[in-house]
Amino acid sequence: MNQAPVSCIPASKMSKAKKVIDEAKEIQNPELDLADKSISSFDEMPGLFNMLNITRLTLSHNKIQVVPPGLANLVNLEILNFFNNQIEELPTSLSSMPKLRILNVGMNRLDCLPRGFGAFPVLEVLDLTYNNLNETTLPGNFFMMETLRALYLGDNDFEFLPPEVGQLKNLQILVLRENDLIELPKEVGDLNRLRELHIQGNRLTILPPEIGNLDLVSSKSVLKMENNPWVTPIADQLSLGVPHVMDYIRTETYRFLYNRHIAAKGPVPPKMNDKTRKLSRARQQS
Amino acid sequence: MPGIDMSLDNMFCSRCGDGFEPHEKIVNSNGELWHTQCFVCAQCFRPFPEGIFYEFEGRKYCEHDFHVLFAPCCGKCGEFVIGRVIKAMNANWHPRCFRCQMCDKELADLGFIRNQGRALCHECNAKAKAVDLGKYVCHKCHGLIDDKPLRFRGEVYHPYHFNCTACGVELNSDAREVRSRPGFAANEMNELYCLRCHDKMGIPICGACRRPIEERVVTALGKHWHVEHFVCAKCEKPFLGHRHYEKKGLAYCETHYHQLFGNLCFVCNQVIAGDVFTAMNKAWCVHHFACSVCDQKMNQKTKFYEFDLKPVCKKCYEKFPSELKRRLRKAHEQTPKKMPL
Ligand SMILES: [Zn+2]
Ligand SMILES: [Zn+2]
Ligand SMILES: [Zn+2]
Ligand SMILES: [Zn+2]
Ligand SMILES: [Zn+2]
Ligand SMILES: [Zn+2]
Ligand SMILES: [Zn+2]
Ligand SMILES: [Zn+2]
C-alpha cells in the first residue's frame, strides 16, 4: 500500500474505467481508484478479475446494480468500496475473501444480505449505512464476525437489534443512527471495547442499565443519543450532558425505574423518520 | 537322643538331678541327659518347637523367649536384630535399617551426624546446615559456599573449583555456563567461561534477565531477549511472536498500546509510526487519511465533512442525496460541539 493511487486522467467517458485499469496493470499499482466513472456494469472493466495483486478497489459513486460472484477471485483485496451505487444484492462469495478487512456498501439499495454473509475471516470494518436493512433481513451468522471493530448501520430500518450483537467482542464502533429502534438489547453492555455508540434519531425511551458498564464518557469515547423520545429523567440528564446520563443509568434508582418501565409495557413511540424520499428506496423500472 | 536302658544308675537329668525310670525316654543333647519333661525353655517351660533352642549363660531358651530376653529390637522395622546390631541414636538397628533421614543412604559403614534428632550422612548434614544459614553446599567438596555459588550442569559449586574453558583463569561467580552445542539436549555438553571470554564469544544477553540466550533470540528495542522474557510493559505477557508496538523504549501488546496511546490507524489498524492525523475520535497514518467515501487522500488543508464521525470530502458530500444533507445539517445545528463543517 505504499504506492500512490492512480489518478484519473481526463479521457472520453466510454473508456474511463478501462483506461484506469490498463494503467494500473502497467505500473503494477495494487490500488484501483474507479470512483465516479459512470460504471454501470462489471462488463466495462475487462480483465479486472485477473488482477490478483490488487489490495484496494474503490468503485464509489457509480451505477453498479449487480456484483458478480467472480469478484471474490481477487484474493489479495483488503479494501472494497461500493459506496453510492445501486446494488440490491451481494453475492455470498464475498464472505470468503481471505484478506478483506474493510467493506463499504453504504448508500446502496440492499433489502437483505445473503445467507452465510457473516463468514468473513478477517473483516474489521463493515459499512452498511443508508440501505433498507432490518433485523429480519440479517443472515443467521451475521454476528459471528468476531474480528469486526466497526459496524455502520446508520440510516436503515432496524426496530430491534438482535441480542447476538454481544458476540462482537472486538467492536469499538457501533452506529445505529436514524433507524426505527424501539429498544436496545442489554447485550450491548457486553461490548467492553466499544468507544463509539451512535443511537441518535431512533424511538428509544430507555437504556438498559447494562450500558452503564461501558466506558463511553472518556476523552476517547463518544455516545450520541439525541433525538429520541427519552423518558423524562434521561432527557433531563441528557440536557446536562452525556456523562450525566451515564452516571444516572448506573444508579439503583434508575434500575428500579427501568424494571418498572419494562413491566408496564408502555405504548411504542411512532416512527420518527420519513424515509419515503430515501435514495435507497428507489427502484429500477422493470 | 532316643532312650538308652543301660547303666541307668549313674545317669541323672541335667535339670532336676533325678535318675531315669527303665523304658523312660531320655533326651541327650551334647552329652547332657534330660527327662523329656525337663528339656524345656528356661523361661516358658514348654518344649522347644522343632527342637530348636538358644543357649545363654548355661540356660536354654525357645527362640521366642531368647529374643524377648536377649535380642534387641530394630528401631525402624520392629523385628529382632540377629547378627550385627547397630547401636545409635539410643536404639538398636539392623544395618540395612539405619539410614540417612534425608538421602536414605545406609549409614552403618559411613558414619553419621546427629542433626536435630535426625541421623544424617555428612553431606546431608552439611546441606541441612547450609539451608539453615541460607547458603549452598558445594557439590564437589560438600563444604558451605560462603560467597555466591557457581551454577553448573544443574548443581552448585564453589567457583574456584573450575577454570575458564577458553583462557584457563580460575572462575568466580560471574562465570557463564554455555551450551557448547546449541540444540543438543544433553546437559553434559555445557561448559564454563569467564565473563570476559564469554562476552568475546558474542552470545547475546537477555535485556530482561541479563543471562545468555542459547535458544531463540528476539531482537527489539535495540536489545536481545529470551522469547519468554520479551513482554508487554503493561500486562507483562510475552509476545511469543505476536506483533508488538514500541513507544519510548518500551514494548506493548496491541490491546495495551491502544489503551495507553490510542493511535492505531483507523484504516490499517497499525501503530502510526510517522505523522498522525487525529480527528473525530480517530487517528490515521499518512497513507490512510482519506475520504471515507471515495478513498482519495486528504491532508491537513483538505476541507472535509463529518459523517458518523468519518471524514467525507467536499466532492463526495455534495453527491449525498439532498434529504440526507438536510438531516445532517439539522443534526449539526443541534449539536453544541464545534464541528469542521
Ligand atoms: Zn521358652
Ligand atoms: Zn530393622
Ligand atoms: Zn567446593
Ligand atoms: Zn577466560
Ligand atoms: Zn531472559
Ligand atoms: Zn499488554
Ligand atoms: Zn494506516
Ligand atoms: Zn470523497
Short mmCIF file of all heavy atoms in Angstrom, two decimals, chain B residues 137-145 156-161, ligand 3:
data_model
loop_
_atom_site.label_atom_id
_atom_site.label_comp_id
_atom_site.label_asym_id
_atom_site.label_seq_id
_atom_site.Cartn_x
_atom_site.Cartn_y
_atom_site.Cartn_z
N VAL B 137 25.63 -25.74 49.52
CA VAL B 137 26.73 -26.64 49.77
C VAL B 137 27.36 -26.99 48.44
O VAL B 137 26.66 -27.31 47.48
CB VAL B 137 26.22 -27.92 50.46
CG1 VAL B 137 27.36 -28.93 50.58
CG2 VAL B 137 25.66 -27.58 51.82
N CYS B 138 28.63 -26.94 48.37
CA CYS B 138 29.32 -27.24 47.12
C CYS B 138 29.13 -28.71 46.76
O CYS B 138 29.31 -29.59 47.60
CB CYS B 138 30.80 -26.91 47.26
SG CYS B 138 31.77 -27.44 45.84
N HIS B 139 28.77 -28.96 45.52
CA HIS B 139 28.52 -30.32 45.07
C HIS B 139 29.81 -31.12 44.99
O HIS B 139 29.79 -32.34 44.99
CB HIS B 139 27.84 -30.28 43.70
CG HIS B 139 27.31 -31.61 43.25
ND1 HIS B 139 26.27 -32.25 43.90
CD2 HIS B 139 27.68 -32.41 42.22
CE1 HIS B 139 26.02 -33.39 43.28
NE2 HIS B 139 26.86 -33.52 42.27
N LYS B 140 30.93 -30.42 44.93
CA LYS B 140 32.20 -31.13 44.81
C LYS B 140 32.82 -31.45 46.18
O LYS B 140 33.11 -32.59 46.48
CB LYS B 140 33.19 -30.32 43.97
CG LYS B 140 34.50 -31.06 43.74
CD LYS B 140 35.34 -30.41 42.67
CE LYS B 140 36.57 -31.29 42.43
NZ LYS B 140 37.46 -30.69 41.46
N CYS B 141 32.99 -30.41 47.01
CA CYS B 141 33.69 -30.64 48.27
C CYS B 141 32.73 -30.72 49.45
O CYS B 141 33.16 -30.97 50.57
CB CYS B 141 34.73 -29.54 48.50
SG CYS B 141 33.99 -27.93 48.87
N HIS B 142 31.48 -30.52 49.24
CA HIS B 142 30.45 -30.58 50.27
C HIS B 142 30.62 -29.53 51.35
O HIS B 142 29.96 -29.58 52.38
CB HIS B 142 30.36 -31.98 50.90
CG HIS B 142 30.21 -33.05 49.86
ND1 HIS B 142 29.15 -33.08 48.98
CD2 HIS B 142 31.00 -34.10 49.53
CE1 HIS B 142 29.30 -34.10 48.17
NE2 HIS B 142 30.41 -34.74 48.46
N GLY B 143 31.49 -28.59 51.10
CA GLY B 143 31.67 -27.51 52.05
C GLY B 143 30.62 -26.43 51.82
O GLY B 143 30.00 -26.35 50.76
N LEU B 144 30.41 -25.61 52.83
CA LEU B 144 29.50 -24.48 52.69
C LEU B 144 30.06 -23.48 51.70
O LEU B 144 31.26 -23.25 51.67
CB LEU B 144 29.33 -23.77 54.02
CG LEU B 144 28.26 -24.28 54.97
CD1 LEU B 144 28.11 -23.30 56.12
CD2 LEU B 144 26.94 -24.42 54.24
N ILE B 145 29.18 -22.88 50.90
CA ILE B 145 29.62 -21.83 49.99
C ILE B 145 29.28 -20.50 50.64
O ILE B 145 28.10 -20.17 50.80
CB ILE B 145 28.94 -21.97 48.61
CG1 ILE B 145 29.20 -23.37 48.05
CG2 ILE B 145 29.43 -20.89 47.66
CD1 ILE B 145 28.45 -23.68 46.79
N VAL B 156 25.34 -26.71 42.32
CA VAL B 156 26.06 -25.50 42.74
C VAL B 156 27.43 -25.88 43.28
O VAL B 156 27.61 -26.95 43.88
CB VAL B 156 25.26 -24.71 43.81
CG1 VAL B 156 24.06 -24.05 43.20
CG2 VAL B 156 24.86 -25.60 44.96
N TYR B 157 28.41 -25.00 43.03
CA TYR B 157 29.79 -25.27 43.41
C TYR B 157 30.44 -24.00 43.94
O TYR B 157 29.99 -22.89 43.69
CB TYR B 157 30.59 -25.69 42.16
CG TYR B 157 30.14 -26.98 41.52
CD1 TYR B 157 29.16 -26.97 40.53
CD2 TYR B 157 30.71 -28.21 41.89
CE1 TYR B 157 28.75 -28.14 39.93
CE2 TYR B 157 30.30 -29.39 41.28
CZ TYR B 157 29.32 -29.35 40.31
OH TYR B 157 28.92 -30.51 39.71
N HIS B 158 31.56 -24.21 44.64
CA HIS B 158 32.48 -23.10 44.83
C HIS B 158 33.03 -22.76 43.45
O HIS B 158 33.52 -23.66 42.76
CB HIS B 158 33.66 -23.52 45.72
CG HIS B 158 33.29 -23.73 47.15
ND1 HIS B 158 33.31 -24.98 47.75
CD2 HIS B 158 32.93 -22.84 48.11
CE1 HIS B 158 32.96 -24.84 49.02
NE2 HIS B 158 32.72 -23.57 49.27
N PRO B 159 33.01 -21.52 43.02
CA PRO B 159 33.52 -21.20 41.68
C PRO B 159 34.98 -21.62 41.51
O PRO B 159 35.39 -22.03 40.42
CB PRO B 159 33.37 -19.68 41.57
CG PRO B 159 32.37 -19.31 42.60
CD PRO B 159 32.46 -20.32 43.70
N TYR B 160 35.80 -21.58 42.60
CA TYR B 160 37.23 -21.82 42.45
C TYR B 160 37.60 -23.25 42.12
O TYR B 160 38.75 -23.56 41.90
CB TYR B 160 38.00 -21.33 43.68
CG TYR B 160 37.53 -21.89 45.02
CD1 TYR B 160 37.71 -23.24 45.35
CD2 TYR B 160 36.90 -21.05 45.95
CE1 TYR B 160 37.28 -23.72 46.57
CE2 TYR B 160 36.47 -21.53 47.17
CZ TYR B 160 36.66 -22.88 47.48
OH TYR B 160 36.23 -23.37 48.68
N HIS B 161 36.60 -24.14 42.06
CA HIS B 161 36.91 -25.50 41.62
C HIS B 161 37.07 -25.57 40.10
O HIS B 161 37.44 -26.61 39.57
CB HIS B 161 35.81 -26.47 42.03
CG HIS B 161 35.70 -26.67 43.52
ND1 HIS B 161 36.75 -27.06 44.30
CD2 HIS B 161 34.64 -26.52 44.36
CE1 HIS B 161 36.35 -27.15 45.57
NE2 HIS B 161 35.07 -26.82 45.62
ZN ZN C 3 33.66 -26.89 46.90
#
